[in-house]
């Protein structure tokens, strides 16, 4: 099961993933920016009796980690998983916040690094990790083959792709990785991006102007 919230001044999608049988849950990209957005996550978890097991990061741009400090405070035992190549993004976040006049409480460092080919288990749910750098150097996506969806962060959006003008970005690499790691997923698979509406593999293969 998956529920998506849209948070913070950059309209970032934060996802809660859980197993209906065991109620084990993970948050993917904690973008909560203010008290009311943190409350929405707290209420959703408690109303559904979920047990939070992991905080997972697709990547560590500031809009995807605004709420990390709150997760560490509220759920001190929940480990944070991120690809090692995105550590510099955490370190750059205070500078980015100042540049964009955004409030930012520093994120914790990851407890574990995740890599291409890893599988994260939440009760009966399996999330396969694929490495899709280019928007950021350590960007990963989380694929749930059983429920036919993938959380793709800022790699591909409905009719667009992630920006590559930020430090560590690489346009050609991003295009190649979308082709080899996302367009090879089942055509009907739903894609849940880090911004904007959901899409699917067939639509992006056929309609996305960056590939046509
Ligand atoms: Zn990003
Ligand atoms: Zn983003």
């Amino acid at each position: 099961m998956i529920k998506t919230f849209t948070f913070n001044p950059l309209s970032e999608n934060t996802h809660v993933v859980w197993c209906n049988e065991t109620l084990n849950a993970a948050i993917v990209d904690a973008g909560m920016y203010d008290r009311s957005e943190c409350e929405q996550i707290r209420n959703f978890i408690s109303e559904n009796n979920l047990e939070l097991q992991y905080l997972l990061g697709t990547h560590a741009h500031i809009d995807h980690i605004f709420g990390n400090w709150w997760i560490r405070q509220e759920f001190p035992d929940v480990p944070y998983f991120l690809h090692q190549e995105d550590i510099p993004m955490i370190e750059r976040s205070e500078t980015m916040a100042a540049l964009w006049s955004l409030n930012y409480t520093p994120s914790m460092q990851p407890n574990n690094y995740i890599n291409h080919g890893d599988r994260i288990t939440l009760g009966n749910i399996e999330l396969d990790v694929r490495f899709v750098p280019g928007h950021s150097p350590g960007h990963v996506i989380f694929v749930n083959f059983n429920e036919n969806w993938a959380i793709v962060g800022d790699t591909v959006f409905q009719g667009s792709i992630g920006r590559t003008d930020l430090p560590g970005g690489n346009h050609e690499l991003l295009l190649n990785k979308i082709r080899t790691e996302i367009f090879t997923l089942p055509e009907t698979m739903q894609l849940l991006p880090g911004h904007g509406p959901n899409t699917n593999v067939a639509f992006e293969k056929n309609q996305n102007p960056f590939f046509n």
Side-chain angles (χ1 to χ4, degrees):
M1 305 284 287
I2 185 160
K3 161 83 175 170
T4 300
F5 298 82
T6 302
F7 287 151
N8 75 54
L10 296 160
S11 299
E12 175 268 0
N13 294 329
T14 289
H15 311 277
V16 181
V17 179
W18 72 99
C19 166
N20 243 347
E21 285 79 43
T22 64
L23 303 179
N24 291 338
I27 291 175
V28 182
D29 290 352
M32 302 84 80
Y33 188 67
D34 59 21
R35 178 62 42 195
S36 91
E37 292 177 351
C38 294
E39 288 298 322
Q40 286 179 57
I41 291 293
R42 193 212 306 276
N43 293 342
F44 187 82
I45 288 173
S46 67
E47 283 162 12
N48 292 283
N49 299 310
L50 303 182
E51 194 184 323
L52 191 61
Q53 308 270 294
Y54 305 111
L55 172 61
L56 307 175
T58 60
H59 66 303
H61 282 154
I62 191 168
D63 48 325
H64 298 254
I65 65 169
F66 276 129
N68 280 11
W69 72 273
W70 182 83
I71 297 285
R72 179 53 72 246
Q73 177 186 284
E74 293 291 310
F75 304 94
D77 299 330
V78 169
Y80 175 36
F81 286 18
L82 185 74
H83 193 285
Q84 187 167 14
E85 295 289 320
D86 250 41
I87 297 296
M89 303 300 125
I90 294 183
E91 282 154 8
R92 199 172 282 122
S93 289
E94 282 171 277
T95 310
M96 297 307 261
L99 204 64
W100 294 336
S101 302
L102 295 164
N103 299 321
Y104 171 70
T105 304
S107 168
M108 67 291 201
Q109 293 293 319
N111 301 86
N112 291 87
Y113 297 131
I114 40 175
N115 289 296
H116 187 89
D118 286 352
R119 176 171 286 174
I120 294 154
T121 304
L122 275 177
N124 308 331
I125 290 193
E126 289 174 338
L127 298 176
D128 286 358
V129 177
R130 291 190 175 196
F131 185 43
V132 188
H135 169 71
S136 77
H139 198 299
V140 299
I141 67 169
F142 300 100
V143 183
N144 182 337
F145 283 100
N146 202 33
E147 294 182 352
N148 203 35
W149 53 254
I151 295 170
V152 296
D154 292 357
T155 57
V156 65
F157 302 119
Q158 187 190 77
S160 188
I161 62 168
R163 61 189 288 184
T164 51
D165 58 329
L166 295 169
N170 182 325
H171 185 74
E172 281 308 311
L173 179 63
L174 178 60
L175 292 176
N176 282 332
K177 285 293 185 176
I178 291 171
R179 280 195 195 94
T180 58
E181 302 298 342
I182 297 180
F183 288 176
T184 54
L185 293 167
E187 296 263 311
T188 59
M189 185 174 274
Q190 195 173 35
L191 303 177
L192 294 87
H195 303 269
N198 294 350
T199 182
N200 64 60
V201 172
F203 182 88
E204 297 313 319
K205 264 184 175 170
N206 299 320
Q207 308 284 333
N208 192 306
F210 287 90
F211 300 95
N212 288 283

